[in-house]
Amino acid sequence: MASEDINRVVGEIGLRHGRERWRLMDIVRDVQERLGAVGPEAVDAIAGWLGIARVEVEGVVGFYSFLSSGQRGRVVIRLCDDVIDRMAGYDAVRAAFEGALGVKVGETTPDGEFTLERTACIGMCDQAPAALVNDVVVTNLSSDKARVIVRMLRDQKDPSKLVHRFGDGNNSHPLVRSMVENNLRKAGPIVFSGQTRGEAIRKALAISPAEVIRAIKTSRLRGRGGAGFPTGMKWEFARAAAGDRKFVICNADEGEPGTFKDRVLLTELPDRVFAGLTIAAYAVGAAEGIVYLRAEYAYLRRFLEQVLEKRRADGLLGRSVCGKPGFDFDIRIQMGAGAYICGEETALINSCEGLRGEPRNRPPFPAQRGYLGCPTVVNNVETLACVTRILEAGPATFCERGTHQSSGTKLLSISGDCTLPGVYEVDMGITLREVLELCGGEDAAAVQVGGPSREMVGPAEFHRTIDYDDLATGGAVLVFGPDRNIVEIVSAFMEFFVHESCGFCTPCRVGTVLLKEKLDRVIAGRGEPKDLEDMLELAETIKQTSRCGLGQASPNPVLMTLRSFRPVYDALVKPDPHGYRRGFDLQASLREAERVAGRGSQQHQEGVP
Amino acid sequence: MSDRFTITVDGREIPAAPGQTILAAAQASGIYIPRLCHMDGIEPVGACRVCTVRANGRVVAACTQPATASMVVQSQTDELVSWRRQLVEMLFVEGNHFCMFCEKSGSCELQGLAYRLGIAAPRYESIWPRREVDASHPDIILDRNRCILCGRCERTSRDLDGKHVFGFVGRGIHKRLAVNARARLADTGADVTDLAIGACPVGAILRKNRAYRTPVGDRPFDREPIGAPVETRAELTINGGPAS
Ligand SMILES: Cc1cc2nc3c(=O)[nH]c(=O)nc-3n(C[C@H](O)[C@H](O)[C@H](O)COP(=O)(O)O)c2cc1C
Ligand code: SF4
Ligand code: SF4
Ligand code: FES
């Protein structure tokens, strides 16, 4: 496309979003969608429009998986390659797509029509293998389906035509029109207690903000996003923080592999979530709210926009919410662009400001200085739905469920080797064994609770409970049957962290790569007993010295399985009977030497004169 | 001054002020906490993690963590020194470092720290990444092979030079230093007198035609270990009375 055209397109998109720097994410996303790339000309045009350095724009484009400086096809097919999808047949599906398209993963067809990519968990593990075709979600894939999809895309050119049936509930809503299934297997009395008609907000507005915070504290609600911080206390900090302008943010980034409960909640009960965010705003004194929606859930966006529109019409958002003088509040949706790290609240805030999604240092905490430097509360989707129920039914009703330290219910996203994968609302404190009975996963040989960041548990520990004292989880429960290869799973988890590290700090950026290399050497049968000790040491260093939760959790797959599944590793690293160093791979070493030798001359060509 | 307080670092009681970082407080009293991504005069960001210490038992980056009254800081324990060593080794294998051919040798902070920490050779396997060299600028050479992604050039250019010559692209292990032009440093506003050009701790940003002007053996870390100036300058301060 000619430069003038690129300038014109960027100009149009820029006009729509304005000139404030924090609109950068929206602008680059739209440019990517219109032009198939944010190339050098577009970067210059965007930088000029916002009055920032082009390297800042380039930095953002280069950070997020869904943005690219190189031209992508008109249709981008993103295959979800998480562990569950691999178990469900990812390799065959990938091969079928590659065959039908005539390109490999990571490539674009010569006619510029299709790009085939892999992507981290897209939140569809209960209907794996799954993929995104532009914004359209396709699920339960097989090789045959893959070929049909390619044929249909070639004939009809329009990914939305792939939708030949609708999923249940609001998945058939005219603004959603998706094949995604909710698979809501168990609705409980708190989160999935039905629609809300504004009772919760009216009850909140009838009392003072301090009393709202007291009610939340009485409920002992703790964050459902994983960290488990007491919600009432977080709100109190933000309320007490100095500043006229405050923000509340709903974290709908849901990126932990194996987690998809927020997707179902947003599909079926968005009003409960928005009500919770409105109550949070009232409690802390915020006038502006943001929902940070992961790019993978873009298919829900227009629907959610309409729900917000309806709430404005009903007086539940806007000036004087519910007629309460002085309480003005509105919500906007901020789309992500493919980065797991943006679920971390300070990275999320940076992303909302149009920056690379790198976490910030703490202190200051978001409640002191967050979005645009203002006191900011970030809460998970489910946490906010709990808030609505607490105001509606009272803290006591909430506390009737769960345990003292972990009150209420918890949504679980269950997938893998079980007969009934899907979303379950269970009481906090439930044992893993009970969970496995519910979902038909009694044969499990291992369960990953909380996704790759957390813990792998074997049968001897199925008596353990899901709550903040024992197995704390954002909700992911990945069930692995007896035939699964534990170390392969661990390696796939490590691959996820390598891919999703933001790269800001040394231990996570480099350490995860080194740890995965060592692990893969052990898996390949080239490890020695000492390698396991080295892995433990390296894992500990990464865990301790990483700058944020991602890096700190990244060695957990290795650490947890070395603890609970040690015999699997020991069997792989039997000392060599001939006393040879097993770690030494002659072929690979020669390859490496060749590569190094070849590099000197290559550098001259690559280097800019 | 009434709100000043003390902290202890490795058993030594030293003064600190509200808002002051652990690293800055330690430095003011002649205690050197190793660092790479931080340098005096720019905002600390906590990227390299080489300054990791334990503060009241918690593991934190000394360059970003504010000191608080009576904080007990440990820096030179076996555990912490071992972590630092591993972090420095990671930085070596992540890039392509051939010290014997590098004109920064002897004044390179990465190398200096490796010596101070007693690293003879990294124990990890090299990653051997492919990275670009940019020799387009008449006075400056940019060799990304040696870049440790510390961000000192970026922050110095942005905050002290007011220019924004440098930035980063990519994510994770693919993160790379970028310049504010379509491709070449020559097309940015970079000038050899920019403070950013002197901010690089390693041999990734070098002034052209300076190679070997200071003979080997006479370079800063040939003469004394990295960190020594902090330790000796403070020796004076202590002799002359506590730092105020
Ligand atoms: C790497 C990483 C990813 C995260 N991803 C999410 C996420 O997708 N959704 C979420 O709600 N919280 C996520 N969190 C936790 C958030 O940082 C934050 O604690 C949470 O949104 C706070 O909300 P809550 O207190 O209601 O749980 C993540 C944390 C880390 C370190
Ligand atoms: S641990 Fe470091 S590199 Fe990893 S995501 Fe956090 S800040 Fe980025
Ligand atoms: S070029 Fe030098 S100063 Fe800049 S990030 Fe790389 S190592 Fe740091
Ligand atoms: S000096 Fe503190 S993290 Fe680099």
Side-chain angles (χ1 to χ4, degrees), chain A residues 44 54-55 59 62-63 65 338 356 361 500-503 505-506 509 521 541 544-545 547 602-603 606-609, chain B residues 45-49 59 83 86 94 96 123 125 130 133 135-136 145 149 164 168 170-172 175 180-182 184:
Chain A
D44 281 329
R54 80 182 304 288
V55 72
F63 188 87
S65 295
R356 287 165 64 83
N361 289 312
E500 296 300 327
S501 163
C502 86
C505 73
T506 312
R509 183 182 69 239
R521 197 164 58 213
T541 305
Q544 294 286 352
T545 62
R547 183 167 175 261
Q602 233 156 21
Q603 221 164 51
E606 262 180 44
V608 188
Chain B
V45 293
C48 73
R49 313 310 284 177
V59 180
W83 290 345
Q86 291 179 62
E94 180 192 26
N96 301 308
R123 81 191 82 167
E125 277 179 35
R130 276 185 169 211
V133 178
S136 63
N145 288 291
L149 302 165
H164 242 309
F168 294 98
R171 184 171 85 189
K175 184 176 175 178
N180 192 33
R182 287 204 186 170
R184 309 181 328 153

Short mmCIF file of all heavy atoms in Angstrom, two decimals, chain A residues 44 54-55 59 62-63 65 338 356 361 500-503 505-506 509 521 541 544-545 547 602-603 606-609, chain B residues 45-49 59 83 86 94 96 123 125 130 133 135-136 145 149 164 168 170-172 175 180-182 184:
data_model
loop_
_atom_site.label_atom_id
_atom_site.label_comp_id
_atom_site.label_asym_id
_atom_site.label_seq_id
_atom_site.Cartn_x
_atom_site.Cartn_y
_atom_site.Cartn_z
N ASP A 44 5.59 5.43 11.74
CA ASP A 44 5.90 6.86 11.65
C ASP A 44 4.64 7.70 11.76
O ASP A 44 4.60 8.72 12.46
CB ASP A 44 6.61 7.16 10.32
CG ASP A 44 8.08 6.78 10.35
OD1 ASP A 44 8.68 6.85 11.44
OD2 ASP A 44 8.63 6.41 9.30
N ARG A 54 9.00 7.31 17.55
CA ARG A 54 8.56 6.13 16.80
C ARG A 54 9.01 4.83 17.48
O ARG A 54 8.33 3.82 17.41
CB ARG A 54 9.05 6.19 15.35
CG ARG A 54 10.49 5.77 15.15
CD ARG A 54 10.94 5.88 13.72
NE ARG A 54 10.15 5.14 12.75
CZ ARG A 54 10.14 3.81 12.60
NH1 ARG A 54 10.88 3.07 13.41
NH2 ARG A 54 9.41 3.22 11.68
N VAL A 55 10.13 4.89 18.18
CA VAL A 55 10.62 3.68 18.84
C VAL A 55 9.66 3.23 19.95
O VAL A 55 9.58 2.05 20.28
CB VAL A 55 12.07 3.86 19.35
CG1 VAL A 55 12.14 4.79 20.55
CG2 VAL A 55 12.74 2.54 19.65
N GLY A 59 8.09 -0.33 19.90
CA GLY A 59 8.21 -1.15 21.11
C GLY A 59 6.91 -1.81 21.48
O GLY A 59 6.89 -2.97 21.89
N GLY A 62 6.02 -4.48 18.83
CA GLY A 62 6.88 -5.65 18.97
C GLY A 62 6.62 -6.44 20.24
O GLY A 62 7.17 -7.52 20.43
N PHE A 63 5.81 -5.92 21.13
CA PHE A 63 5.60 -6.60 22.40
C PHE A 63 4.44 -7.60 22.35
O PHE A 63 4.52 -8.68 22.93
CB PHE A 63 5.31 -5.57 23.50
CG PHE A 63 5.28 -6.15 24.88
CD1 PHE A 63 6.45 -6.28 25.62
CD2 PHE A 63 4.10 -6.60 25.44
CE1 PHE A 63 6.44 -6.84 26.87
CE2 PHE A 63 4.07 -7.16 26.71
CZ PHE A 63 5.24 -7.28 27.43
N SER A 65 1.62 -10.23 20.94
CA SER A 65 1.58 -11.30 19.94
C SER A 65 0.62 -11.01 18.79
O SER A 65 0.82 -11.47 17.68
CB SER A 65 1.13 -12.61 20.60
OG SER A 65 2.08 -13.02 21.52
N GLY A 338 -2.79 -9.78 23.14
CA GLY A 338 -2.06 -11.03 23.17
C GLY A 338 -0.79 -10.97 23.99
O GLY A 338 0.30 -10.85 23.43
N ARG A 356 4.41 -0.78 26.56
CA ARG A 356 4.73 -2.20 26.58
C ARG A 356 4.18 -2.79 27.88
O ARG A 356 4.23 -2.15 28.92
CB ARG A 356 6.25 -2.39 26.54
CG ARG A 356 6.88 -2.09 25.18
CD ARG A 356 8.39 -1.95 25.25
NE ARG A 356 9.08 -3.16 25.65
CZ ARG A 356 9.40 -4.15 24.82
NH1 ARG A 356 9.10 -4.07 23.56
NH2 ARG A 356 10.02 -5.22 25.26
N ASN A 361 7.40 -1.36 39.17
CA ASN A 361 7.94 -1.65 40.49
C ASN A 361 6.89 -1.32 41.54
O ASN A 361 6.10 -0.42 41.37
CB ASN A 361 9.18 -0.80 40.75
CG ASN A 361 10.34 -1.26 39.90
OD1 ASN A 361 10.64 -2.45 39.84
ND2 ASN A 361 10.97 -0.33 39.22
N GLU A 500 6.06 -16.17 27.18
CA GLU A 500 5.28 -15.07 27.74
C GLU A 500 6.08 -14.14 28.66
O GLU A 500 5.55 -13.11 29.09
CB GLU A 500 4.06 -15.62 28.49
CG GLU A 500 3.07 -16.35 27.58
CD GLU A 500 2.51 -15.47 26.46
OE1 GLU A 500 2.34 -14.25 26.68
OE2 GLU A 500 2.25 -16.00 25.36
N SER A 501 7.31 -14.49 28.97
CA SER A 501 8.14 -13.58 29.77
C SER A 501 8.19 -12.23 29.06
O SER A 501 8.37 -12.16 27.85
CB SER A 501 9.55 -14.15 29.87
OG SER A 501 10.45 -13.13 30.29
N CYS A 502 8.06 -11.17 29.83
CA CYS A 502 8.08 -9.85 29.19
C CYS A 502 9.51 -9.48 28.80
O CYS A 502 9.73 -8.63 27.96
CB CYS A 502 7.46 -8.80 30.09
SG CYS A 502 8.57 -8.05 31.29
N GLY A 503 10.49 -10.12 29.44
CA GLY A 503 11.87 -9.86 29.08
C GLY A 503 12.52 -8.71 29.82
O GLY A 503 13.65 -8.34 29.52
N CYS A 505 13.37 -8.49 33.12
CA CYS A 505 14.42 -8.82 34.09
C CYS A 505 15.18 -10.11 33.71
O CYS A 505 14.65 -10.98 33.05
CB CYS A 505 13.85 -8.89 35.51
SG CYS A 505 12.84 -10.31 35.87
N THR A 506 16.41 -10.17 34.16
CA THR A 506 17.32 -11.24 33.75
C THR A 506 16.83 -12.65 34.10
O THR A 506 16.81 -13.52 33.22
CB THR A 506 18.70 -11.02 34.40
OG1 THR A 506 19.08 -9.66 34.20
CG2 THR A 506 19.74 -11.95 33.83
N ARG A 509 13.80 -13.69 31.92
CA ARG A 509 14.07 -13.63 30.48
C ARG A 509 15.05 -14.73 30.06
O ARG A 509 14.83 -15.44 29.09
CB ARG A 509 14.65 -12.26 30.12
CG ARG A 509 14.91 -12.06 28.62
CD ARG A 509 15.52 -10.70 28.34
NE ARG A 509 16.88 -10.58 28.84
CZ ARG A 509 17.30 -9.68 29.72
NH1 ARG A 509 16.47 -8.78 30.20
NH2 ARG A 509 18.55 -9.66 30.13
N ARG A 521 16.96 -31.63 27.99
CA ARG A 521 18.07 -32.56 27.89
C ARG A 521 17.80 -33.79 28.74
O ARG A 521 18.05 -34.92 28.31
CB ARG A 521 19.37 -31.88 28.32
CG ARG A 521 20.57 -32.65 27.86
CD ARG A 521 21.83 -31.85 27.91
NE ARG A 521 22.09 -31.38 29.25
CZ ARG A 521 22.67 -30.22 29.53
NH1 ARG A 521 23.01 -29.41 28.55
NH2 ARG A 521 22.90 -29.86 30.76
N THR A 541 16.78 -19.78 41.98
CA THR A 541 17.27 -18.44 41.67
C THR A 541 16.22 -17.64 40.89
O THR A 541 15.96 -16.47 41.18
CB THR A 541 18.58 -18.52 40.86
OG1 THR A 541 19.50 -19.31 41.59
CG2 THR A 541 19.16 -17.14 40.61
N GLN A 544 13.32 -16.73 43.19
CA GLN A 544 13.61 -15.72 44.22
C GLN A 544 13.91 -14.34 43.66
O GLN A 544 13.59 -13.34 44.27
CB GLN A 544 14.81 -16.19 45.07
CG GLN A 544 14.55 -17.43 45.89
CD GLN A 544 13.66 -17.18 47.09
OE1 GLN A 544 13.33 -16.04 47.41
NE2 GLN A 544 13.25 -18.25 47.76
N THR A 545 14.58 -14.29 42.53
CA THR A 545 15.08 -12.99 42.09
C THR A 545 14.24 -12.33 41.00
O THR A 545 14.52 -11.19 40.63
CB THR A 545 16.54 -13.10 41.58
OG1 THR A 545 16.59 -13.97 40.45
CG2 THR A 545 17.47 -13.64 42.65
N ARG A 547 11.37 -10.32 39.01
CA ARG A 547 10.81 -9.04 39.38
C ARG A 547 9.31 -9.11 39.64
O ARG A 547 8.77 -8.30 40.38
CB ARG A 547 11.12 -8.07 38.24
CG ARG A 547 10.69 -6.66 38.44
CD ARG A 547 11.37 -5.81 37.36
NE ARG A 547 10.92 -4.43 37.40
CZ ARG A 547 9.99 -3.93 36.58
NH1 ARG A 547 9.42 -4.71 35.69
NH2 ARG A 547 9.65 -2.67 36.67
N GLN A 602 28.09 -13.87 8.45
CA GLN A 602 26.70 -13.46 8.35
C GLN A 602 26.46 -12.08 8.96
O GLN A 602 25.70 -11.29 8.46
CB GLN A 602 25.84 -14.44 9.13
CG GLN A 602 24.70 -15.01 8.32
CD GLN A 602 24.31 -16.33 8.90
OE1 GLN A 602 24.58 -16.63 10.05
NE2 GLN A 602 23.67 -17.15 8.10
N GLN A 603 27.19 -11.86 10.03
CA GLN A 603 26.99 -10.62 10.75
C GLN A 603 27.27 -9.42 9.86
O GLN A 603 26.59 -8.41 9.94
CB GLN A 603 27.98 -10.60 11.90
CG GLN A 603 27.39 -10.08 13.16
CD GLN A 603 28.28 -10.46 14.30
OE1 GLN A 603 29.48 -10.22 14.27
NE2 GLN A 603 27.75 -11.09 15.30
N GLU A 606 24.28 -8.89 7.79
CA GLU A 606 23.13 -8.42 8.55
C GLU A 606 23.35 -7.03 9.09
O GLU A 606 22.47 -6.20 9.11
CB GLU A 606 22.91 -9.33 9.75
CG GLU A 606 21.86 -10.35 9.52
CD GLU A 606 21.73 -11.19 10.75
OE1 GLU A 606 21.73 -10.62 11.85
OE2 GLU A 606 21.65 -12.41 10.61
N GLY A 607 24.57 -6.78 9.54
CA GLY A 607 24.87 -5.51 10.18
C GLY A 607 24.66 -4.37 9.20
O GLY A 607 24.85 -4.51 8.00
N VAL A 608 24.24 -3.25 9.73
CA VAL A 608 24.01 -2.11 8.86
C VAL A 608 25.35 -1.46 8.58
O VAL A 608 26.16 -1.30 9.49
CB VAL A 608 23.06 -1.12 9.55
CG1 VAL A 608 22.65 -0.04 8.60
CG2 VAL A 608 21.85 -1.85 10.08
N PRO A 609 25.66 -1.12 7.35
CA PRO A 609 26.98 -0.59 7.02
C PRO A 609 27.27 0.73 7.73
O PRO A 609 26.36 1.47 8.04
CB PRO A 609 26.92 -0.38 5.52
CG PRO A 609 25.48 -0.34 5.15
CD PRO A 609 24.78 -1.19 6.15
N VAL B 45 15.13 0.96 37.80
CA VAL B 45 13.97 0.20 37.32
C VAL B 45 13.94 -1.26 37.77
O VAL B 45 12.91 -1.91 37.69
CB VAL B 45 13.88 0.24 35.77
CG1 VAL B 45 13.57 1.64 35.29
CG2 VAL B 45 15.15 -0.29 35.13
N GLY B 46 15.06 -1.77 38.22
CA GLY B 46 15.04 -3.16 38.72
C GLY B 46 15.03 -4.20 37.63
O GLY B 46 14.23 -5.13 37.67
N ALA B 47 15.89 -4.08 36.65
CA ALA B 47 15.86 -5.01 35.52
C ALA B 47 16.87 -6.15 35.64
O ALA B 47 16.55 -7.29 35.36
CB ALA B 47 16.09 -4.26 34.21
N CYS B 48 18.10 -5.85 36.05
CA CYS B 48 19.13 -6.90 36.02
C CYS B 48 19.02 -7.83 37.22
O CYS B 48 19.40 -8.98 37.13
CB CYS B 48 20.52 -6.28 35.94
SG CYS B 48 21.06 -5.51 37.47
N ARG B 49 18.54 -7.35 38.33
CA ARG B 49 18.34 -8.09 39.59
C ARG B 49 19.67 -8.44 40.29
O ARG B 49 19.66 -9.20 41.26
CB ARG B 49 17.52 -9.38 39.40
CG ARG B 49 16.27 -9.23 38.58
CD ARG B 49 15.38 -8.10 38.98
NE ARG B 49 14.57 -8.32 40.18
CZ ARG B 49 13.77 -7.40 40.70
NH1 ARG B 49 13.67 -6.22 40.13
NH2 ARG B 49 13.07 -7.65 41.79
N VAL B 59 13.07 -10.96 49.76
CA VAL B 59 14.00 -10.75 48.65
C VAL B 59 13.52 -9.57 47.81
O VAL B 59 12.40 -9.56 47.32
CB VAL B 59 14.07 -12.02 47.76
CG1 VAL B 59 15.04 -11.81 46.61
CG2 VAL B 59 14.49 -13.22 48.60
N TRP B 83 23.24 -16.20 43.99
CA TRP B 83 22.21 -15.74 43.03
C TRP B 83 22.80 -14.71 42.07
O TRP B 83 22.57 -14.74 40.87
CB TRP B 83 21.02 -15.12 43.76
CG TRP B 83 20.20 -16.11 44.52
CD1 TRP B 83 20.24 -17.47 44.36
CD2 TRP B 83 19.24 -15.84 45.53
NE1 TRP B 83 19.35 -18.06 45.24
CE2 TRP B 83 18.72 -17.09 45.97
CE3 TRP B 83 18.75 -14.68 46.14
CZ2 TRP B 83 17.75 -17.20 46.95
CZ3 TRP B 83 17.78 -14.78 47.12
CH2 TRP B 83 17.29 -16.03 47.53
N GLN B 86 24.86 -16.26 39.46
CA GLN B 86 24.05 -16.90 38.42
C GLN B 86 23.44 -15.86 37.48
O GLN B 86 23.35 -16.07 36.27
CB GLN B 86 22.95 -17.74 39.06
CG GLN B 86 23.49 -18.96 39.78
CD GLN B 86 22.37 -19.76 40.42
OE1 GLN B 86 21.49 -20.27 39.74
NE2 GLN B 86 22.38 -19.86 41.73
N GLU B 94 23.53 -15.08 27.54
CA GLU B 94 22.44 -14.55 26.73
C GLU B 94 22.95 -13.79 25.51
O GLU B 94 22.30 -13.74 24.47
CB GLU B 94 21.55 -13.62 27.57
CG GLU B 94 20.40 -13.05 26.77
CD GLU B 94 19.69 -11.92 27.47
OE1 GLU B 94 20.29 -11.23 28.31
OE2 GLU B 94 18.52 -11.71 27.16
N ASN B 96 26.55 -12.39 23.10
CA ASN B 96 27.76 -12.97 22.51
C ASN B 96 28.94 -12.14 23.00
O ASN B 96 29.23 -11.08 22.45
CB ASN B 96 27.67 -12.93 20.99
CG ASN B 96 26.46 -13.71 20.50
OD1 ASN B 96 26.26 -14.86 20.86
ND2 ASN B 96 25.62 -13.07 19.70
N ARG B 123 28.69 -21.26 33.77
CA ARG B 123 28.45 -22.71 33.77
C ARG B 123 27.31 -23.07 32.82
O ARG B 123 27.10 -24.23 32.52
CB ARG B 123 28.11 -23.15 35.18
CG ARG B 123 26.67 -22.91 35.58
CD ARG B 123 26.44 -23.10 37.05
NE ARG B 123 26.83 -21.89 37.77
CZ ARG B 123 26.51 -21.68 39.04
NH1 ARG B 123 25.87 -22.58 39.72
NH2 ARG B 123 26.86 -20.56 39.63
N GLU B 125 25.16 -23.17 29.21
CA GLU B 125 25.50 -23.21 27.79
C GLU B 125 25.09 -21.90 27.13
O GLU B 125 24.07 -21.33 27.44
CB GLU B 125 24.79 -24.39 27.13
CG GLU B 125 25.56 -25.67 27.34
CD GLU B 125 24.87 -26.86 26.73
OE1 GLU B 125 24.25 -26.71 25.66
OE2 GLU B 125 24.96 -27.94 27.34
N ARG B 130 21.38 -14.34 17.51
CA ARG B 130 21.76 -13.54 16.36
C ARG B 130 21.37 -12.11 16.65
O ARG B 130 20.20 -11.81 16.85
CB ARG B 130 20.96 -13.97 15.16
CG ARG B 130 21.54 -15.12 14.46
CD ARG B 130 20.69 -15.30 13.25
NE ARG B 130 21.36 -16.25 12.40
CZ ARG B 130 21.25 -16.20 11.08
NH1 ARG B 130 20.53 -15.27 10.51
NH2 ARG B 130 21.87 -17.09 10.36
N VAL B 133 24.72 -5.61 14.36
CA VAL B 133 25.68 -4.54 14.63
C VAL B 133 25.27 -3.35 13.76
O VAL B 133 24.86 -3.53 12.62
CB VAL B 133 27.11 -4.99 14.26
CG1 VAL B 133 28.11 -3.87 14.49
CG2 VAL B 133 27.49 -6.23 15.04
N ALA B 135 26.86 0.09 12.50
CA ALA B 135 28.03 0.98 12.46
C ALA B 135 27.75 2.19 11.58
O ALA B 135 28.65 2.84 11.07
CB ALA B 135 29.23 0.21 11.94
N SER B 136 26.45 2.49 11.41
CA SER B 136 26.06 3.54 10.46
C SER B 136 26.45 4.94 10.92
O SER B 136 26.70 5.82 10.12
CB SER B 136 24.55 3.48 10.25
OG SER B 136 23.88 3.76 11.48
N ASN B 145 25.35 -7.50 20.11
CA ASN B 145 25.83 -8.77 20.65
C ASN B 145 26.20 -8.67 22.13
O ASN B 145 26.17 -9.63 22.86
CB ASN B 145 27.04 -9.25 19.86
CG ASN B 145 26.65 -9.73 18.49
OD1 ASN B 145 25.99 -10.75 18.35
ND2 ASN B 145 26.99 -8.96 17.47
N LEU B 149 20.58 -5.45 27.88
CA LEU B 149 19.19 -5.00 27.99
C LEU B 149 18.92 -4.29 29.31
O LEU B 149 17.84 -4.41 29.88
CB LEU B 149 18.24 -6.19 27.81
CG LEU B 149 18.41 -6.92 26.47
CD1 LEU B 149 17.73 -8.28 26.50
CD2 LEU B 149 17.86 -6.08 25.32
N HIS B 164 15.21 10.40 23.47
CA HIS B 164 14.53 9.17 23.08
C HIS B 164 15.19 8.48 21.90
O HIS B 164 14.51 8.03 20.97
CB HIS B 164 13.07 9.47 22.73
CG HIS B 164 12.12 8.74 23.64
ND1 HIS B 164 12.21 7.40 23.86
CD2 HIS B 164 11.08 9.18 24.38
CE1 HIS B 164 11.27 7.04 24.71
NE2 HIS B 164 10.57 8.10 25.04
N PHE B 168 13.13 -0.41 23.09
CA PHE B 168 13.22 -1.86 22.97
C PHE B 168 12.07 -2.40 22.14
O PHE B 168 10.96 -1.89 22.19
CB PHE B 168 13.20 -2.52 24.35
CG PHE B 168 14.42 -2.19 25.15
CD1 PHE B 168 14.40 -1.19 26.10
CD2 PHE B 168 15.61 -2.86 24.92
CE1 PHE B 168 15.54 -0.86 26.82
CE2 PHE B 168 16.75 -2.55 25.64
CZ PHE B 168 16.71 -1.54 26.59
N GLY B 170 10.37 -6.38 20.77
CA GLY B 170 10.37 -7.79 21.10
C GLY B 170 10.04 -8.04 22.57
O GLY B 170 9.88 -7.10 23.35
N ARG B 171 9.93 -9.31 22.91
CA ARG B 171 9.51 -9.69 24.25
C ARG B 171 10.32 -10.90 24.68
O ARG B 171 10.80 -11.66 23.84
CB ARG B 171 8.02 -10.05 24.15
CG ARG B 171 7.36 -10.38 25.44
CD ARG B 171 5.86 -10.49 25.24
NE ARG B 171 5.45 -11.81 24.79
CZ ARG B 171 4.22 -12.11 24.39
NH1 ARG B 171 3.30 -11.17 24.35
NH2 ARG B 171 3.91 -13.32 24.03
N GLY B 172 10.46 -11.07 25.99
CA GLY B 172 11.16 -12.24 26.51
C GLY B 172 12.57 -12.32 25.97
O GLY B 172 13.25 -11.30 25.80
N LYS B 175 13.73 -9.95 23.23
CA LYS B 175 13.80 -8.51 23.42
C LYS B 175 15.13 -7.97 22.86
O LYS B 175 16.18 -8.57 23.06
CB LYS B 175 13.71 -8.21 24.92
CG LYS B 175 13.68 -6.73 25.24
CD LYS B 175 13.49 -6.51 26.74
CE LYS B 175 13.58 -5.03 27.06
NZ LYS B 175 13.37 -4.74 28.47
N ASN B 180 15.60 4.97 17.49
CA ASN B 180 14.45 5.75 17.06
C ASN B 180 14.56 6.16 15.59
O ASN B 180 14.64 7.33 15.26
CB ASN B 180 14.32 6.98 17.95
CG ASN B 180 12.99 7.68 17.75
OD1 ASN B 180 11.99 7.02 17.48
ND2 ASN B 180 12.97 8.99 17.85
N ALA B 181 14.59 5.15 14.74
CA ALA B 181 14.65 5.39 13.29
C ALA B 181 14.20 4.09 12.65
O ALA B 181 14.12 3.06 13.32
CB ALA B 181 16.06 5.74 12.84
N ARG B 182 13.93 4.13 11.33
CA ARG B 182 13.48 2.90 10.70
C ARG B 182 14.50 1.79 10.84
O ARG B 182 14.15 0.64 11.03
CB ARG B 182 13.16 3.13 9.24
CG ARG B 182 11.87 3.91 9.12
CD ARG B 182 11.20 3.71 7.82
NE ARG B 182 10.05 4.61 7.77
CZ ARG B 182 9.34 4.83 6.68
NH1 ARG B 182 9.66 4.23 5.57
NH2 ARG B 182 8.32 5.65 6.73
N ARG B 184 18.55 2.68 11.21
CA ARG B 184 19.93 2.98 11.53
C ARG B 184 20.11 4.05 12.60
O ARG B 184 19.39 5.06 12.61
CB ARG B 184 20.66 3.43 10.27
CG ARG B 184 20.47 2.48 9.09
CD ARG B 184 21.23 2.93 7.87
NE ARG B 184 21.33 4.38 7.75
CZ ARG B 184 22.32 5.00 7.13
NH1 ARG B 184 23.30 4.31 6.58
NH2 ARG B 184 22.33 6.32 7.04
#
